[in-house]
Amino acid sequence: MGKDKGPTFNLKTPKGTRDWFGSDTLLRDRIFSTISNVLKRHGATALDTPVFELREILAGKYGEDSKLIYDLKDQGGEICSLRYDLTVPFARWLAMNPEVRNIKRYHVAKVYRRDQPAILKGRLREFVQFDLDIAGVYDPMIPDSEIIRIICEVFEALGWNGRYTIKLNHRKILDGVFAVCGVPEDKIRPISSAVDKLDKMPWADVRKEMVNDKGLDGEVADRIEKYVMNKGSRELLNTLLQDEALNANPIAKAGLDDMALMMDYLEAFGVLDKISFDMSLARGLDYYTGVIYEVITEGSAGVQASSTEGEKPAKKGKGKPSEDDDRSNDPSVGVGSVAAGGRYDNLVGMFAPKAQIPCVGISFGVERIFSITKALLEQKQNGAALRSSEVDAYVMAFGGKGFTGMLKERMDICQKLWNAGVKAEFSYKLKPKLPQQFKAAEQGNIPFAIILGEEELAAGKCRIKEMGLPEGHPEKEGVEVTLDNLVSELQTRLASKQDGLVGSLAEQLSSTTV
Amino acid sequence: MGKDKGPTFNLKTPKGTRDWFGSDTLLRDRIFSTISNVLKRHGATALDTPVFELREILAGKYGEDSKLIYDLKDQGGEICSLRYDLTVPFARWLAMNPEVRNIKRYHVAKVYRRDQPAILKGRLREFVQFDLDIAGVYDPMIPDSEIIRIICEVFEALGWNGRYTIKLNHRKILDGVFAVCGVPEDKIRPISSAVDKLDKMPWADVRKEMVNDKGLDGEVADRIEKYVMNKGSRELLNTLLQDEALNANPIAKAGLDDMALMMDYLEAFGVLDKISFDMSLARGLDYYTGVIYEVITEGSAGVQASSTEGEKPAKKGKGKPSEDDDRSNDPSVGVGSVAAGGRYDNLVGMFAPKAQIPCVGISFGVERIFSITKALLEQKQNGAALRSSEVDAYVMAFGGKGFTGMLKERMDICQKLWNAGVKAEFSYKLKPKLPQQFKAAEQGNIPFAIILGEEELAAGKCRIKEMGLPEGHPEKEGVEVTLDNLVSELQTRLASKQDGLVGSLAEQLSSTTV
C-alpha cells in the first residue's frame, strides 16, 4: 500500500449499490440458508460461476436491455461484462458440459444492471438473485410439480404459513384461449401482456388497452373476459375440460391435460390446496413454453392483519413492507410477487443448439422476501430492533476496591463456553466497569449475562442472569450456579428460551399467524 | 432475449476464472460455514460490500500492484473498479460509518486481480478471501489472543486437529533484534524480508542474500542468526527477557512484554500449546505493527502420513495437496501457509485519518484450505469420489407385468420424508426401471434406498436398503418396515450411520488423525 494521499475522494459506494451489515446481513443470511436447505432436501446442488463472462456470451441475449449490461474496460486480453442474470451463465455452463444431461441446480449470487436506481424503493444496480432450475428430459409435469412443492416448503420454512398464494397457469391454455376467442396470431403476445396486468388494474382498463391500444376486436375481448377472469382449482379445470371449443383446440387441450396431471401430482405431494389456478396469469417473459407460476403475498395488508391477534399495533413506519415492496428489480419476479417461474424448453437450445435441454425453474425474489420478513419480525417484536449478532452470553465481572478485573477468569469461562459451542463474548478491557459490560450486552441483544464476583468465584460459583427481566421478577438479579454446572445450566436456559432468538424463521414467526 | 445467432463464440469462462460445481461446491460451502460458525461463536458479524468500488477509493492503495486492478468501462457516470481485496472496502466502510468505533467483522467474498493466472497451480484471477478483523481501542493483547484462539477453533472444526501449527512473532521484537544487531535503519525492511524466507531456504542462502544482495555487514548477519533461528514457547521468551541487549532496546522490550502478556492469555484460553514462537517469522506486508502469525500445515507430508494408519494408501495422484498447494494467490497468506495475519494499527487511519482505528486480523486461505481438506477427505475415502449432493434416500419402485410405476406412491413417500426434514429424491419417470433407479442412487452416493413393491405396499410395508453393503451381509436385500414406521426407522439408521456422510468435517476427518 502506498502513502496516505488524504481522503480527497467521495466516501460512498457506487451509485445503485449498498453495504450490508449487522441485523440486515444476519437476516439475509438466515433467509438464504433457509431457502438453500429446502433445495438441498430435494437434491439440488449449487453452481457458482464467475461474476463476469466473455462479452460475446451475453451478446444478443437481452434485447434492448443489453444497454444495461456493465462492461469491463478493455485492459488487453479478453473483453468481458458483468453477468446480467444467472440464466445465461447456467446455459453457458450446460453447453460447456455436454455430459450433464439432467440436473437440479441452484445459484444464489449478485447480478448487475445499469438501471436507473430507485434507492427509496430499494431498486438497486447490484442485487441478489436466487434461482433453482431442473433441467432434463423427463415424463410430463413431474419436476414441474416438485417445483411447486419446493415453493411451498420454502415459504413454510420462512414462517410465511398462511401468508402466500401460488398462482398457477399454463402458457398453452392461455394461447389456446386466445386462439379460440379469435385473437390473430400476431396479437397473441401483446394481448397476453395486457391480460397479465389484471392483477393491478380492473378488466375495463385492460379491455381498453386491448381494443384501443392494441387494435383488438371488442367482441374478441369480451370472449377473452369469460375465460381469463376465472380463478379456482379442480372445479375450474373440470369446467374447462368440458368446454367444447377449448377441447377442440389441440394447444389448449395439451395445456389442460398437463394441468390435470399436475393437479394429481400436487395432491400426492400434499400441496394442491396451496395453489390458485388463475387464468389471468400470463408472465412477461416470452420464453415460457408450459406451466407458469407466481407467488404473491398480501403484502402490507397481510402484515397488518397479523398484528391484530392480541398484540400491540406495529410501531408507526415499521411492519409495512409496502414501503419497499418494490425492492426487487428482478423482472423475472412480477410486481407484487415474491417468486416466479415456469417451464422454458427452448431457452438453453437457443443458446447452444447441440445442448438443447428442457428446463423448469423458479426465481425467488430474495430482496423483497427480505423486506417482508424483516417487517414481520419487527412487528412480532413490537418494533424492537432485530439482533445484529447471535451471541448467547456475555461474560462479565465486578468487584469493589482492589478489583483486578478477573480477565483470565473471564477468558477461562469463555473458553469453556466456546468449547461447548455456546456463543460468548467478554469485554476487551482489563478492568471493565459493570455498567459498561451491561451496556455491551444490551446493545448486542445478548440474552444472558454470566456474572463473576470475587467472593462467589472463590466459592466456585457465579451467576447466570437473564437480560431484560422485569422489575420484581424472582430471577431479576440472576441465579447462582456452580462453575462446574455453568455450561449445562446455561444450555438448559438457552434451549428453553423459546422466543425464537435462536430458532428457525418458521418458529420465530409462527406465533404471529392469524 | 433475442434470436439465436448460433454459437460462433468461445464457450469458456474468462481467463483465470472457473465454475464451481458438484462435490467441490458442496465441500467449499461446508468449509465456509464451518469457519463462519466459529466466527459467530465469538460474536463476529458479517459485512458485505459491492463487488466494485469507486476507482479513487482503490487508487494509491496497492503500490505497483495497482496495475492488476480490473477497471469497469466508462459507460457514463462514475468510474469504478472491481475490489482487489477486502481490507480497503472494510476501511472505506469504517470511514463512512464513524459511529462504529469497535467491531468484529468477517467478510467472505471474491476478489479480482489481473495477475498472470497459473491454472495448473490453481492461481486464479477471481478467488475467495475470508477475512476476520477486530477493530477498536482495547487493552493490550486481548483481542490479539482471541484471534489465536479463533484460529485454533477453526482448524479443529475443519478436522485438522494435529495437522497445523501457528507460528507467532512480533514486529517489535524483530525490529528490536535488527537494531540491537546493528542493521542500519534503511535496511530493516529488506533484511526482514530476507529473514522471512527462512521457511523455504537454509540460513546460508539467506545470509548470502543479506550480505551479497543487500549489502549487510557479515558480522551483523551472524548476530542476526543467533536470534532468528530460535523457535519455542515460554522458555524462549524467558531467555529473551534475560537478554540484556534486547531489554535495553525499548522497541524490543515493548514487543517482549506484549508477548509475555499474550502467552498468559493464550494459556487462559487453553491454546498456548498450539503456538510456536518463531523468531524467523517476518511476514511480507509492511503495515503490520504488532503481533504477526501464520498457520502452517505439513502439507503433503502431513496428508501422506495420515494414510499410514491401517488404511490403504491413497490412490495415486490423490491425497497430494502439494500439487495445488499454491492455489491461493492471496499475498496476505504466505507460501505454504493456510492462514495469516497480525496487528495493523495505522492502516485504517492511512485511509481515512479521522477514522483511525487499530485493528488485528486474520485472513484464511480458503482456496488452499479447500485443496488440502479435499485431499484429506479423498484419502479417508480411499480415493473414492466425494459426494456431490447430500441426499439421504432415493425412493424407488419395482414390479412385474402391468407395473404402474407407483409414481403417486413414490411422491407420497417423498412428501412424508421431506416433511420430516429427510433429504430425498425419486425418478422423474412414470415407469422407471429398477436398475436405472439404483444407478441414480449410486451415482449420487445416496446412502439409503426406499424400495416400494406392489405386494409389500398393499400390506402397508416397504423396504429400507442400505446401499453398498457387501455380498452376504444379512441386510444386503434391505429390511422390511411398515409405512407408518418408515420415517423413524430411516432417521434412526441415518443417525447411526456414523461414517461422517452427514456429520461435521471434524467428525468426518477425526478418525484419520495419526
Side-chain angles (χ1 to χ4, degrees):
Chain A
M1 294 215 167
K3 283 264 147 69
D4 178 19
K5 301 285 196 301
T8 57
F9 40 80
N10 274 328
L11 268 179
K12 64 185 283 292
T13 61
K15 183 177 177 181
T17 69
R18 57 164 289 192
D19 297 318
W20 288 82
F21 187 67
S23 58
D24 281 356
T25 312
L26 205 60
L27 176 57
R28 207 166 66 140
D29 284 350
R30 288 178 74 191
I31 289 171
F32 293 166
S33 63
T34 299
I35 299 176
S36 56
N37 283 341
V38 171
L39 305 187
K40 286 180 184 177
R41 198 188 295 153
H42 289 260
T45 47
L47 174 67
D48 180 36
T49 64
V51 79
F52 47 80
E53 296 276 345
L54 296 181
R55 194 170 303 163
E56 58 197 11
I57 300 270
L58 305 190
K61 300 296 183 304
Y62 303 105
E64 61 180 41
D65 280 351
S66 292
K67 66 179 187 296
L68 301 183
I69 293 175
Y70 275 97
D71 291 330
L72 294 192
K73 188 172 162 183
D74 181 1
Q75 294 171 287
E78 296 163 340
I79 304 297
C80 299
S81 300
L82 298 186
R83 65 182 158 219
Y84 182 84
D85 65 12
L86 305 177
T87 309
V88 166
F90 178 46
R92 190 264 305 148
W93 181 83
L94 280 172
M96 270 175 69
N97 293 276
E99 75 286 2
V100 177
R101 300 317 293 160
N102 52 66
I103 185 171
K104 289 179 210 168
R105 90 85 179 77
Y106 71 90
H107 194 172
V108 45
K110 290 177 177 177
V111 298
Y112 299 87
R113 298 178 187 182
R114 293 180 51 260
D115 221 333
Q116 207 45 40
I119 301 297
L120 278 180
K121 291 187 174 183
R123 188 182 294 272
L124 293 170
R125 290 179 158 200
E126 177 189 57
F127 62 96
V128 174
Q129 283 199 327
F130 202 133
D131 286 8
L132 166 72
D133 293 273
I134 302 181
V137 176
Y138 301 115
D139 282 323
M141 311 314 291
I142 306 177
D144 313 58
S145 303
E146 187 166 350
I147 294 260
I148 301 294
R149 165 78 200 191
I150 288 170
I151 293 171
C152 294
E153 286 186 39
V154 162
F155 285 101
E156 304 288 321
L158 287 170
W160 286 34
N161 187 13
R163 291 191 179 92
Y164 70 95
T165 304
I166 304 172
K167 288 159 69 170
L168 185 66
N169 200 3
H170 197 298
R171 264 289 160 85
K172 287 182 180 166
I173 297 178
L174 208 53
D175 287 353
V177 163
F178 294 142
V180 164
C181 294
V183 178
E185 185 76 29
D186 64 324
K187 287 201 163 63
I188 283 189
R189 286 275 75 82
I191 293 305
S192 175
S193 81
V195 165
D196 202 45
K197 294 177 184 164
L198 277 171
D199 58 348
K200 38 188 186 306
M201 49 170 85
W203 167 254
D205 293 349
V206 170
R207 186 184 190 282
K208 209 175 288 172
E209 179 177 325
M210 289 177 173
V211 176
N212 298 2
D213 303 351
K214 295 179 172 166
L216 192 71
D217 187 312
E219 284 179 27
V220 174
D222 294 336
R223 284 196 288 271
I224 292 175
E225 182 190 9
K226 296 221 160 50
Y227 286 106
V228 299
M229 298 303 282
N230 288 305
K231 285 178 204 189
S233 185
R234 270 217 208 264
E235 76 298 343
L236 170 59
L237 179 66
N238 289 338
T239 308
L240 296 172
L241 283 168
Q242 281 155 31
D243 181 308
E244 277 180 31
L246 274 190
N247 276 276
N249 178 291
I251 309 248
K253 182 73 171 74
L256 291 172
D257 289 347
D258 273 359
M259 193 61 91
L261 205 51
M262 188 162 194
M263 287 195 184
D264 281 356
Y265 295 161
L266 294 181
E267 191 162 29
F269 277 147
V271 293
L272 184 57
D273 60 325
K274 304 288 183 187
I275 61 112
S276 164
F277 175 20
D278 185 330
M279 296 189 73
S280 73
L281 178 69
R283 307 275 304 116
L285 296 175
D286 283 354
Y287 56 66
Y288 289 115
T289 56
V291 282
I292 45 179
Y293 30 81
E294 201 168 279
V295 184
I296 55 160
T297 176
E298 300 78 27
S300 57
V303 174
Q304 297 296 23
S306 65
S307 76
T308 59
E309 190 75 356
E311 290 188 315
K312 286 180 214 157
K315 214 164 128 185
K316 199 171 161 65
K318 301 264 177 178
K320 287 190 191 169
S322 57
E323 285 178 5
D324 45 4
D325 223 349
D326 284 334
R327 171 174 292 277
S328 170
N329 49 355
D330 179 357
S332 65
V333 177
V335 175
S337 76
V338 288
R343 172 163 287 282
Y344 52 99
D345 282 349
N346 305 323
L347 186 68
V348 174
M350 181 196 95
F351 184 85
K354 285 184 197 159
Q356 173 66 293
I357 302 180
C359 292
V360 59
I362 178 78
S363 185
F364 293 96
V366 283
E367 309 279 6
R368 189 174 300 157
I369 289 170
F370 166 82
S371 302
I372 296 174
T373 305
K374 182 177 175 181
L376 289 169
L377 286 170
E378 283 174 340
Q379 175 185 295
K380 162 98 171 108
Q381 298 183 190
N382 294 329
L386 300 182
R387 302 188 73 194
S388 58
S389 92
E390 295 172 347
V391 175
D392 300 314
Y394 197 95
V395 176
M396 51 183 77
F398 77 100
K401 251 197 168 161
F403 175 52
T404 62
M406 292 186 272
L407 174 61
K408 287 188 203 167
E409 289 81 359
R410 286 182 282 138
M411 287 176 158
D412 179 58
I413 298 283
C414 277
Q415 184 229 132
K416 292 190 170 82
L417 294 173
W418 293 329
N419 285 343
V422 175
K423 304 186 186 86
E425 283 191 299
F426 67 103
S427 166
Y428 288 158
K429 297 262 175 213
L430 263 172
K431 297 183 188 178
K433 296 196 171 68
L434 196 61
Q436 285 175 342
Q437 297 175 87
F438 270 115
K439 195 178 160 201
E442 277 159 18
Q443 283 178 339
N445 290 104
I446 298 173
F448 290 97
I450 310 297
I451 306 174
L452 309 187
E454 274 159 346
E455 282 178 28
E456 284 106 323
L457 207 61
K461 291 180 178 174
C462 67
R463 266 187 299 147
I464 301 178
K465 174 176 155 56
E466 184 171 344
M467 300 288 291
L469 290 179
E471 288 299 333
H473 189 286
E475 297 195 357
K476 176 74 183 165
E477 298 307 315
V479 181
E480 205 172 73
V481 298
T482 66
L483 290 177
D484 289 344
N485 289 336
L486 168 62
V487 172
S488 61
E489 287 278 351
L490 179 62
Q491 283 177 322
T492 308
R493 278 149 205 276
L494 281 167
S496 71
K497 193 171 161 64
Q498 279 303 356
D499 65 350
L501 277 180
V502 290
S504 69
L505 283 168
E507 287 164 359
Q508 204 165 340
L509 285 174
S510 57
S511 61
T512 65
T513 307
V514 187
Chain B
M1 291 216 170
K3 284 262 145 66
D4 180 18
K5 301 286 194 301
T8 57
F9 40 78
N10 275 327
L11 267 178
K12 65 186 282 292
T13 60
K15 183 177 177 180
T17 68
R18 57 164 291 192
D19 297 317
W20 288 82
F21 188 68
S23 58
D24 281 357
T25 312
L26 206 59
L27 176 57
R28 208 166 66 140
D29 284 350
R30 289 178 73 192
I31 289 171
F32 292 166
S33 62
T34 300
I35 299 175
S36 55
N37 283 342
V38 170
L39 306 188
K40 285 179 183 177
R41 199 187 295 152
H42 289 260
T45 47
L47 174 67
D48 180 35
T49 64
V51 79
F52 47 79
E53 296 277 346
L54 296 181
R55 194 170 302 164
E56 57 196 10
I57 301 269
L58 305 190
K61 300 297 182 304
Y62 303 104
E64 62 181 41
D65 280 351
S66 292
K67 66 179 187 298
L68 302 182
I69 293 175
Y70 275 97
D71 291 330
L72 294 191
K73 188 172 160 183
D74 180 0
Q75 293 172 286
E78 296 162 341
I79 304 298
C80 299
S81 300
L82 297 187
R83 65 182 158 218
Y84 181 86
D85 65 12
L86 303 178
T87 308
V88 165
F90 178 46
R92 190 263 305 149
W93 180 83
L94 280 172
M96 270 176 69
N97 294 276
E99 75 285 2
V100 177
R101 301 316 293 160
N102 52 67
I103 185 172
K104 289 179 208 169
R105 90 85 178 79
Y106 72 90
H107 194 171
V108 45
K110 290 176 176 176
V111 299
Y112 299 88
R113 297 179 187 181
R114 292 180 53 257
D115 221 333
Q116 207 45 40
I119 300 296
L120 279 180
K121 291 187 174 182
R123 188 182 294 271
L124 293 171
R125 289 180 158 197
E126 177 189 57
F127 62 96
V128 174
Q129 283 199 327
F130 202 135
D131 286 9
L132 166 72
D133 294 274
I134 303 180
V137 177
Y138 301 114
D139 281 325
M141 310 317 289
I142 306 177
D144 313 58
S145 303
E146 186 167 353
I147 294 259
I148 301 295
R149 164 77 199 193
I150 288 171
I151 293 171
C152 295
E153 286 185 39
V154 162
F155 286 100
E156 303 288 321
L158 287 170
W160 286 35
N161 187 13
R163 292 193 179 92
Y164 69 96
T165 304
I166 303 172
K167 288 159 68 169
L168 185 66
N169 200 3
H170 197 298
R171 267 288 162 86
K172 287 183 180 166
I173 297 178
L174 208 55
D175 287 353
V177 162
F178 293 142
V180 164
C181 293
V183 178
E185 185 76 28
D186 65 322
K187 286 201 163 64
I188 283 190
R189 286 274 74 83
I191 294 305
S192 176
S193 81
V195 166
D196 202 44
K197 295 178 184 164
L198 276 170
D199 57 350
K200 37 188 188 307
M201 51 168 84
W203 167 253
D205 293 349
V206 169
R207 186 185 189 279
K208 209 176 287 172
E209 180 178 325
M210 288 178 173
V211 176
N212 297 0
D213 304 351
K214 296 180 171 166
L216 192 71
D217 187 313
E219 283 178 28
V220 174
D222 294 337
R223 282 197 289 269
I224 292 175
E225 181 190 8
K226 297 219 160 52
Y227 285 107
V228 299
M229 298 303 282
N230 288 306
K231 285 178 205 190
S233 187
R234 271 218 208 263
E235 76 299 343
L236 171 58
L237 178 66
N238 290 336
T239 308
L240 296 173
L241 282 169
Q242 281 155 29
D243 183 306
E244 277 180 32
L246 274 190
N247 276 277
N249 178 291
I251 307 245
K253 182 72 170 75
L256 291 172
D257 288 346
D258 274 357
M259 192 62 89
L261 205 49
M262 187 163 195
M263 288 196 184
D264 280 356
Y265 295 161
L266 293 181
E267 191 161 31
F269 278 147
V271 293
L272 184 58
D273 60 325
K274 305 288 182 186
I275 62 113
S276 165
F277 175 20
D278 185 330
M279 295 189 72
S280 72
L281 179 69
R283 307 274 303 118
L285 298 176
D286 284 353
Y287 56 66
Y288 290 114
T289 55
V291 282
I292 46 180
Y293 31 81
E294 200 168 278
V295 184
I296 55 160
T297 175
E298 300 77 28
S300 58
V303 174
Q304 297 295 22
S306 64
S307 76
T308 59
E309 190 75 356
E311 290 188 314
K312 286 180 213 155
K315 217 162 124 184
K316 199 171 161 67
K318 301 264 179 180
K320 286 190 189 170
S322 57
E323 284 177 6
D324 44 4
D325 223 348
D326 283 336
R327 170 174 292 278
S328 170
N329 49 357
D330 179 357
S332 65
V333 177
V335 175
S337 76
V338 288
R343 172 162 288 281
Y344 52 100
D345 282 348
N346 305 322
L347 187 66
V348 175
M350 181 196 94
F351 185 85
K354 284 183 198 160
Q356 172 67 291
I357 302 180
C359 292
V360 60
I362 178 78
S363 186
F364 293 96
V366 282
E367 308 278 6
R368 188 174 300 158
I369 290 171
F370 166 83
S371 302
I372 297 175
T373 305
K374 182 177 175 179
L376 289 168
L377 286 170
E378 283 174 341
Q379 174 186 297
K380 162 98 171 108
Q381 299 183 190
N382 294 329
L386 299 183
R387 302 189 73 194
S388 58
S389 90
E390 295 172 346
V391 175
D392 301 314
Y394 197 94
V395 177
M396 50 183 78
F398 76 100
K401 252 199 168 156
F403 174 52
T404 62
M406 292 185 273
L407 174 62
K408 286 188 205 168
E409 290 81 359
R410 287 183 282 137
M411 287 177 159
D412 180 58
I413 299 282
C414 277
Q415 184 228 131
K416 292 190 169 82
L417 293 172
W418 293 328
N419 284 343
V422 176
K423 302 186 186 88
E425 283 190 300
F426 67 103
S427 166
Y428 289 158
K429 297 262 175 214
L430 262 172
K431 297 182 187 178
K433 296 197 171 69
L434 196 60
Q436 285 176 341
Q437 297 175 87
F438 271 116
K439 196 179 159 200
E442 277 160 16
Q443 284 179 338
N445 291 105
I446 298 174
F448 289 97
I450 309 297
I451 306 174
L452 309 187
E454 274 158 345
E455 283 177 28
E456 284 106 325
L457 206 61
K461 292 180 178 172
C462 68
R463 266 187 299 147
I464 300 176
K465 176 175 153 56
E466 183 171 344
M467 300 288 291
L469 291 180
E471 289 298 335
H473 189 285
E475 298 196 357
K476 176 75 181 164
E477 297 308 314
V479 181
E480 205 172 72
V481 297
T482 65
L483 291 177
D484 289 343
N485 290 335
L486 169 62
V487 172
S488 62
E489 288 278 352
L490 180 62
Q491 283 176 322
T492 307
R493 277 150 205 277
L494 281 167
S496 72
K497 194 170 160 63
Q498 280 301 359
D499 64 350
L501 278 180
V502 289
S504 69
L505 284 167
E507 286 164 1
Q508 204 166 340
L509 285 174
S510 57
S511 61
T512 65
T513 307
V514 187

